[in-house]
Amino acid sequence: MDPTTTTAPMENDCETEPSSVWSWWPSWRPTSMSLLKTAESKILACIQNDLWARFVTLPNQDRIWTLSLTSKVVHKPAEQAHKTPLVMVHGFGGGVGLWIRNLDALSRSRPVYAFDLLGFGRSSRPPFPSDAAKAEEQFVSSIEQWRQSVGLENMILLGHSLGGYLATSYAIQYPSRVSHLILVDPWGFPERPETQAKEGQSQSTEVVKRPPLPRWVKAIAAVVSLFNPLAVIRAAGPWGPGLVNRFRPDFKSKFEDLFDDDTMTQYIYHCNAQSPSGEVGFRAMSESLGWAKRPMLQRVHQLQPSLPLTMLYGQWSWVDSSSGDRVVQIRSQAHTKVMLINKASHHVYADQPEEFNRVVEHICNSVN
């Protein structure tokens, strides 16, 4: 482990927010890294298993906020130590707190790691390049440097949404480090519909209807071409928390049996009202309406054929699961499986946590 990490959150957490042209905004925005830490601490207090929360410092001094969990009740600790760890990568605008329904269940038989992506949550917020390939590489490189600093030889890598896109890119570049790739409603796989339409103009094809894009996706899409995707939350100032509650009421309802207040929406707000960083990288990687500039379907054939891949989609998600079917076709005889989780939307892990945990645990047990 990197010697600069600590067994508890560092007291000067607010230093992870660099000074910039936006430094006057904290007086307008009711947020800070300290408030984010407070909201997250309330969420993590629900965890029953052994938890180690700390910053992992990368060679370039960027810090990745990391959770490590092991079971309290495992009868033979040595057996769990030999199990391949599960590493969970959140999606756009998320953080480790969103896995609260999954961390205990999935760490019963093996170590589980979750971290805030570079530029998100409590991790460092460095500048990102405007070039799509370079921004993607900065994300992926930080994941590899994190792995080296933590000391993991290999892992079962699970990514949700943007995290799924980055996990796939990571597995392409570092195939020996991934024992099984699990993609949960991954973003950035299909090409823009205009391209697909041109290819199929002369063909009669069956159209599979998907749920319409939710309001929050449309809201983000409306500003992404002009500003950083989450600029509206920061620009709203003291009305920002209310804006999150209005556009993302689902986050409160998904966790209402754990919290009877605005804990989860406050967490989401504080994750995304900080100085923009990871979202700058996301903006560089995406084009109008959030389509990936470098669609992963064009590169998924570069995955090692022997790498087991499971893709999980929510039945009611706005992400089209047909991309998973295309991956099966592209990878031919490789071990690729697509599964649909009933009565789940984009946040599969929170909508149907018991089924999600059961499926993921089964996948992990197939590794060792």
Side-chain angles (χ1 to χ4, degrees):
M1 178 63 62
D2 190 291
T4 59
T5 60
T6 62
T7 58
M10 299 179 68
E11 293 184 0
N12 60 341
D13 290 342
C14 59
E15 291 181 4
T16 58
E17 181 174 359
S19 59
S20 69
V21 68
W22 306 103
S23 59
W24 59 273
W25 276 37
S27 61
W28 169 250
R29 294 173 290 158
T31 190
S32 67
M33 278 293 178
S34 179
L35 289 172
L36 172 56
K37 174 185 173 182
T38 299
E40 182 190 78
S41 295
K42 185 174 181 180
I43 296 171
L44 299 184
C46 297
I47 292 177
Q48 300 297 311
N49 281 340
D50 290 330
L51 169 66
W52 185 20
R54 78 279 191 193
F55 286 105
V56 172
T57 305
L58 306 185
N60 65 358
Q61 300 306 304
D62 282 337
R63 301 190 303 166
I64 302 297
W65 180 242
T66 303
L67 307 183
S68 303
L69 292 95
T70 53
S71 177
K72 276 186 176 179
V73 299
V74 64
H75 298 294
K76 297 180 180 180
E79 289 185 4
Q80 189 182 47
H82 287 91
K83 292 288 189 73
T84 303
L86 170 66
V87 175
M88 308 178 76
V89 187
H90 65 79
F92 177 78
V96 294
L98 295 184
W99 301 116
I100 191 59
R101 288 191 173 280
N102 320 109
L103 294 172
D104 270 333
L106 296 176
S107 61
R108 287 181 301 195
S109 60
R110 72 184 61 245
V112 170
Y113 292 81
F115 61 85
D116 286 342
L117 279 166
L118 184 69
F120 290 102
R122 295 180 63 190
S123 290
S124 294
R125 293 174 173 257
F128 272 80
S130 58
D131 178 78
K134 291 179 179 178
E136 178 183 329
E137 178 57 29
Q138 184 168 341
F139 278 121
V140 173
S141 177
S142 70
I143 296 175
E144 171 58 9
Q145 291 174 37
W146 172 87
R147 181 202 64 79
Q148 294 176 14
S149 297
V150 173
L152 301 181
E153 285 300 314
N154 49 47
M155 55 190 163
I156 300 165
L157 186 57
L158 181 152
H160 170 252
S161 197
L162 170 62
Y165 181 92
L166 297 174
T168 306
S169 181
Y170 177 90
I172 290 173
Q173 294 188 49
Y174 305 98
S176 66
R177 302 303 181 183
V178 182
S179 300
H180 196 122
L181 181 61
I182 306 174
L183 305 180
V184 185
D185 245 44
W187 169 84
F189 271 66
E191 298 176 336
R192 290 190 64 174
E194 290 83 357
T195 304
Q196 298 171 359
K198 290 178 181 178
E199 294 176 351
Q201 279 178 351
S202 60
Q203 302 176 4
S204 175
T205 59
E206 180 181 357
V207 177
V208 179
K209 292 185 177 180
R210 298 292 296 180
L213 292 176
R215 287 190 304 162
W216 69 270
V217 175
K218 293 179 180 179
I220 288 179
V223 299
V224 72
S225 61
L226 299 176
F227 307 100
N228 290 319
L230 299 170
V232 64
I233 293 178
R234 289 182 292 275
W239 296 279
L243 198 64
V244 174
N245 274 319
R246 178 181 177 184
F247 282 95
R248 299 309 310 269
D250 55 311
F251 272 113
K252 184 174 182 178
S253 62
K254 292 177 197 299
F255 302 93
E256 61 186 0
D257 60 320
L258 296 177
F259 311 103
D260 58 4
D261 56 12
D262 294 337
T263 295
M264 293 307 297
T265 50
Q266 284 290 318
Y267 174 70
I268 291 296
Y269 170 74
H270 291 304
C271 275
N272 294 296
Q274 312 300 324
S275 297
S277 173
E279 67 184 274
V280 176
F282 174 78
R283 183 188 178 195
M285 293 160 52
S286 61
E287 50 187 353
S288 61
L289 297 177
W291 297 95
K293 289 181 180 177
R294 306 176 71 231
M296 195 55 70
L297 280 180
Q298 298 177 355
R299 291 180 283 155
V300 74
H301 67 277
Q302 298 175 26
L303 284 172
Q304 198 169 69
S306 60
L307 172 65
L309 167 62
T310 304
M311 305 181 75
L312 307 179
Y313 289 91
Q315 179 188 14
W316 297 334
S317 175
W318 53 271
V319 175
D320 192 347
S321 62
S322 65
S323 291
D325 299 328
R326 285 284 296 125
V327 172
V328 173
Q329 297 172 3
I330 292 170
R331 298 196 77 209
S332 186
Q333 301 301 313
H335 178 62
T336 307
K337 189 173 184 179
V338 178
M339 301 180 66
L340 206 64
I341 304 297
N342 291 329
K343 300 180 180 180
S345 62
H346 182 53
H347 293 273
V348 185
Y349 55 89
D351 289 325
Q352 297 295 333
E354 291 184 2
E355 178 64 8
F356 175 85
N357 295 340
R358 185 192 67 80
V359 169
V360 173
E361 188 172 28
H362 178 75
I363 293 169
C364 291
N365 290 336
S366 72
V367 176
N368 54 26

